[in-house]
């Protein structure tokens, strides 16, 4: 399914349950952040290395999968309600970041672009 | 672009900058939640009604667009690193929620599914 | 109990369980944000007016109380680990905000201080 | 200052600026989570070890201090608006966790209490 088709499926799901009344952008932003909080909880006590192997355990993998689906679902729902083209927004963001983070300055550095002019 | 193509564009962007070392699932979950925090800040003082009109102001619209792009970008990056199919995960989540939230019980109610058997 | 005494009680609790190994500032920041996510979930579908009456329902009140305790506990734990004086930090923040948000400019406006010079 | 005195100082600050209208529990929960998001951003690319030394750099230390002050300020403000005793709530939480995480089961393990009965 395309991003657009997923948005439509979620819109239909909400409409069938008369949930549009709850789905204001404000409420959806909260729900999105709430699901991110649940995702954080799956990773909070893991070492970085353990986190890279989180999908090796089927129970953990399923939890990660479900929380990421919840995050994505609310993001899609919010984009639909705001009539915002998520795909186009990411494409533009990549272009913008290409200018903010030129390869010769950003290579191997986790600094914010506003600090990239500085000496290490 | 498909979800898969967006993931590839973001993977290339990271690889060109030698950023894979920072992109552990743990770190990406934090970055994702951090961007959700910035999105929340755009909505925190708005009334629900104001939030539904947030795209009417071009400056606000652009900020919402950028924060949602950041959220989506980190979600896609995390899915790629975990080799998790986001589209399939959402499709399964919708199916699962169809069972948890049957229309005749969930209609017009914002309760969690575990409370749907209760009288109002 | 003072803030300092609460921090000590939480430090003792962690030490008795050999949990200091998990309580890096990075991990505690994640745990703190995760608990905020759970707090958000209690409010996400409420109208602003409903949210002001959330303590009228004993079950909801208890949930809010527990999530806020969790947020506070991780904040205290993080401050202790970082040897940061939370009380002093808030006092300084209030002073700093007094300059950023002078009463005659900020009165009745939810704008960020960087926008306070602008006409409405 | 006691927790109560800090809450009063923040209440006065809000009242002087006629900001009580914005400080519904729902909005404050969002603001609290938004500040946690900013705190996360300071730690997201750090290794656990780097995060334990974050206060060694004066600029980073100041940022951490300010974000933690913001988190605490909104938590205190929310507690005040809800008339909830934060100190008492944490004391009760510690007692409750003493039962959920008995030392002989929880020692050296980051598992949730619901998993503590299981063999490793």
């Amino acid at each position: 399914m395309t991003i657009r088709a997923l948005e439509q499926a979620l819109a239909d799901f909400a409409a069938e349950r008369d949930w549009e009344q709850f789905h204001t952008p404000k409420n959806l932003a909260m729900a999105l952040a709430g699901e991110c909080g649940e995702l954080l909880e799956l990773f909070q006590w893991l070492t970085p290395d353990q986190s890279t192997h989180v999908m090796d355990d089927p129970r953990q993998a399923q939890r990660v999968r479900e929380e990421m689906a919840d995050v994505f679902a609310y993001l899609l729902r919010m984009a639909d309600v705001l009539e915002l083209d998520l795909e186009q927004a990411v494409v533009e963001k990549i272009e913008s970041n290409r200018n903010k983070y030129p390869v010769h300055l950003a290579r191997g550095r986790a600094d914010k672009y506003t600090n990239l002019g500085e000496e290490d």
Side-chain angles (χ1 to χ4, degrees), chain A:
Chain A
M1 289 170 92
T2 62
I3 290 174
R4 190 66 214 106
L6 288 171
E7 286 181 11
Q8 191 58 53
L10 290 160
D12 293 344
F13 191 91
E16 285 159 19
R17 284 155 189 79
D18 195 20
W19 282 355
E20 287 118 329
Q21 59 186 310
F22 305 118
H23 288 188
T24 63
K26 182 182 179 93
N27 290 1
L28 290 167
M30 294 178 80
L32 173 62
E35 296 299 341
C36 281
E38 294 194 41
L39 188 62
L40 280 179
E41 292 178 11
L42 300 180
F43 288 96
Q44 65 197 14
W45 307 128
L46 303 186
T47 63
D49 188 57
Q50 286 171 333
S51 87
T52 64
H53 295 101
V54 76
M55 304 305 274
D56 295 349
D57 175 50
R59 276 199 313 181
Q60 275 302 88
Q62 182 56 19
R63 283 181 200 138
V64 170
R65 194 178 171 81
E66 292 200 15
E67 296 308 341
M68 289 186 68
D70 283 335
V71 171
F72 193 25
Y74 280 124
L75 183 68
L76 289 163
R77 190 76 192 101
M78 194 170 168
D80 190 39
V81 164
L82 293 170
E83 298 182 42
L84 184 155
D85 184 334
L86 266 186
E87 180 192 325
Q88 186 56 27
V90 167
V91 169
E92 286 170 20
K93 179 60 93 168
I94 293 173
E95 277 319 301
S96 153
N97 280 349
R98 228 180 271 287
N99 294 320
K100 283 182 182 167
Y101 298 94
V103 169
H104 71 285
L105 286 179
R107 192 162 185 83
R109 296 178 58 181
D111 302 270
K112 200 169 178 178
Y113 69 94
T114 43
N115 292 327
L116 282 184
E118 301 170 13
E119 293 298 310
D120 253 335

